[in-house]
Amino acid sequence: MSKIALMTWFQYHNYGTALQVTALSRVLSSLGNEVDVIDYRAHGRVVAASEESSLVRLAGKARNKAAYHLLRRPCVVPAREELFEAYLDDRLSFTSPCPTLADLEALNDVYDTFVCGSDQIWAPSVFDPHYFLNFAAESRLKVAYAPSVGLPEVRDGDVARRMGELASRIDRLSTREESGSGIISELTGRKVATVLDPTFLLRPDEWAGIAGCEADGGGCGYLLAYMLGSNELQWRRVYEIAERKGLDVRVIPVFQRDLKRKGCLTRPVGPREFVALVAGASYVCTDSFHGVAFSINFKREFCAFERFREGDPVNQNSRVHNILARTGLEGRLAARGKGMDDLVKPIDWTPPCDRLDQEREASLSWLKDALASAAPPESHKNNVLRNRSLCCGCSACEVVCPVGAVGVSLDAEGFWRAEVDEAVCISCGKCRATCPFIERSTSLPIGAGSLYSFKSSDAARLLSSSSGGAAAAIAERASAEGAATLGCAFDLEGGGAAHRLVLPGDAEGLASLAGSKYMQSRMSPALAEAAVRKEEVVVFGTPCQVAGARNLLARCEGVTYVDLICHGVPSRHLYERYREWLHGTYGLNPSIVRTEFRYKPRGWRERYVYSTDGEREACLHQRKDPYFLLFEAGQCYAGCCYECPWRSASAADVRLGDYWGPRFEGDETGVSMVLAMTDRGREVTGALSTAGALKEQPLEDYISWQQTRNEPEPVFRERLLSLLSDPSISIEDVAGEFAEPIARERDLRRSIAPLARIAKRVLGKSHR
Ligand SMILES: Cc1cc2nc3c(=O)[nH]c(=O)nc-3n(C[C@H](O)[C@H](O)[C@H](O)COP(=O)(O)OP(=O)(O)OC[C@H]3O[C@@H](n4cnc5c(N)ncnc54)[C@H](O)[C@@H]3O)c2cc1C
Ligand code: SF4
Ligand code: SF4
Ligand code: SF4
């Protein structure tokens, strides 16, 4: 028996999604396995580079929104949602919630087999690497059963490349449609089977048992209409067919406007009710893949409409064409111009059923065979690399390792990363217990915190700090009381930022920590120095660094942890290219240049970046500075920043950030957002009142103005990073191609925000 974790959609309350996940879970269980569905709710969107202008893109989004509000407003009935929840709860067993890759990778410690599929989890338009089992370790068996690509081709080259790379890691590959198998086969160079949607693996009597209805209702005298599109010509045909057949119409409403159609059902329809309605229908009209699938499975007369227009870039009609062709029922396609006679004539079910039986046997046998395959052997000892890929370079594992088996160095993409010498490792597991992505029990949700604003009363401190000078005030007070400070300074020799341990009373050392360095800081060897100190220490860093330090120093008393609200750290290559550009453009000596990313003498809200080599200088507005543009666009961060578990949690005593939002709108010198997370944090925060203006504020300010969820990793990130690692490519060109469209879109969004608010109010009223 295997312990299987099943990765598929379940969260969207549509019938096909709910029925496919329950079918596959049931089939896998019936083969003697223990099955849990992975509780992961998709990002559901791709971040692709677009050649469209910001205006065209925004106009497209506005058009879709308007269509959604005016024409295709979904019909959401609470009682229907409850039926879905009850059905899923009743039929499925779930893992614990897995919002990030760290949670998904933890499943490797529990499950030996991972299955992905079915539904359109591989549709390029909603590309999400987790549905390609990117979290499943090398040593776990990975099987793709019937995921659907949905489209006949993958147009975006970055998406295609990523799909190919990820699918290649899967041990046994199948998809639901021939076209999908062709695409994946081409991308991986491997053989890809085409198998049936899992709903077909259950026979009509099994579905009838689930739905509590008759498997062959014999036709209860109604035509069932289930249409996911909103094509009025097709709706006219639905009623014509009903008239020809002498049937009443029963409509399952999808959009608000369906509620006005003749025969619309008023009682809520959940997954069970959907199955029973198809089973009892005398005729089914549908443009849904699963509407067609259940009509065929229950041998109900039907006709299939095409939901998408020819030429639509997300045309998914091929799914319906495919299942009709496989069962020899192409004649039931209600294509434009097709005569009514063909659609109303009875179906001879013997040939389609024979084909379906054969395909069912073949699909089941493929699945059994795939599950019996052997997984590759485990190649790691019990260290941080076993079953895990996330690393923020915090160095906690390097410091804790008793035999020096771990080294943290810059990887090819320009990020600090731990490597383990397996030959030296004694498998003690200590590094796993300190890794912040594995051991996260010290993190608290930000809801547990109390929020404050702070502005230093020391003008010099305020000027050199990024926001209100809270970090410097905390460090100076602690230093005066005899504590050392572990913080981040510019490291000229290292070519970037590095942590250093500043001993009590070293004012110059403390001054070197002021200001945010918007890059990844090297933590070792300063972290190792802090770990052996007997006296008090204040640790400053990004949330991941602080979480690692807290795990490492868990047994040390007198440590205070302060983390920074952090939207991500860019590749070291970005700063390398920037220094070269400063040299070429302004003559700055790249080996001794240092940069202030928030140069307050020129402004706070409008940001300026200032660099100097001691003699020459350059100062650029954020919209003209290629480093800041690329940093702010968020496309070249470390991989872990798109899977950050600390967006709405913290392992620190105090969290610091910029006080954005309207509360301090007129302020031009900077205000800190201070979130006291623990009793120690409340004490440290309270003491800030002697150093400036401290005021308690509503926690909603944090939720409203800080990023509390991860942005998905752009599909072109790898390409962007490789451009940044190439010294022959100008950073200006890279910023122009990747970051400027984002900045333009933000500017545009800001300028049309008042208009959008009015439109929202008007549209909102029109639906009341
Ligand atoms: C990479 C990064 C991303 C950030 N993103 C956001 C954001 O999205 N929203 C927001 O409100 N605030 C963000 N901040 C925090 C913000 O820039 C300020 O640091 C914060 O408002 C505190 O300001 P301050 O005036 O109190 O102290 P600062 O003068 O900013 O003092 C900074 C403290 O942070 C430490 N530090 C500086 N650079 C780094 C680094 N690279 N890595 C680790 N520690 C460092 C120093 O040791 C110092 O103690 C980010 C900071 C960083 C480093
Ligand atoms: S398991 Fe122990 S010996 Fe091996 S790398 Fe981790 S800490 Fe070092
Ligand atoms: S402890 Fe830190 S450096 Fe080590 S693997 Fe984990 S995140 Fe990477
Ligand atoms: S976004 Fe998260 S993972 Fe990335 S540096 Fe910041 S805290 Fe670390």
Side-chain angles (χ1 to χ4, degrees), residues 440-496:
R440 288 193 283 132
S441 59
T442 51
S443 293
L444 296 172
I446 51 160
S450 318
L451 194 73
Y452 298 83
S453 55
F454 174 77
K455 190 179 188 71
S456 173
S457 52
D458 179 328
R461 182 194 285 155
L462 194 58
L463 198 65
S464 61
S465 300
S466 294
S467 59
I474 292 171
E476 280 166 30
R477 186 185 168 92
S479 181
E481 288 173 355
T485 307
L486 180 64
C488 168
F490 241 92
D491 171 26
L492 292 184
E493 278 168 34

Side-chain angles (χ1 to χ4, degrees), residues 47 124 127 132 154-169 183-184 186-188 413 713-722 738:
V47 181
F127 170 75
F132 288 78
V154 186
R155 290 188 182 177
D156 186 307
D158 289 310
V159 176
R161 185 183 41 77
R162 293 280 284 130
M163 284 173 72
E165 282 165 8
L166 290 162
S168 297
R169 287 185 74 247
I183 289 169
I184 301 298
E186 200 175 312
L187 293 175
T188 58
E413 291 187 333
E713 179 184 321
V715 283
F716 54 81
R717 175 179 161 272
E718 217 176 291
R719 186 159 54 88
L720 168 56
L721 289 175
S722 101
F738 292 91

Side-chain angles (χ1 to χ4, degrees), residues 304-319:
F305 290 95
E306 288 178 318
R307 178 150 47 111
F308 299 90
R309 272 177 295 112
E310 224 24 71
D312 185 336
V314 290
N315 182 340
Q316 296 168 4
N317 292 335
S318 61
R319 301 175 302 150

Side-chain angles (χ1 to χ4, degrees), residues 382-384 400-403 405-406 420 424-431:
N382 188 29
N383 56 48
V384 274
V400 82
C401 179
V403 294
V406 188
V420 179
V424 178
C425 170
I426 54 168
S427 218
C428 69
K430 284 187 177 163
C431 51

Side-chain angles (χ1 to χ4, degrees), residues 392-408:
C392 63
C394 75
S395 299
C397 55
E398 188 181 21
V399 176
V400 82
C401 179
V403 294
V406 188
V408 174

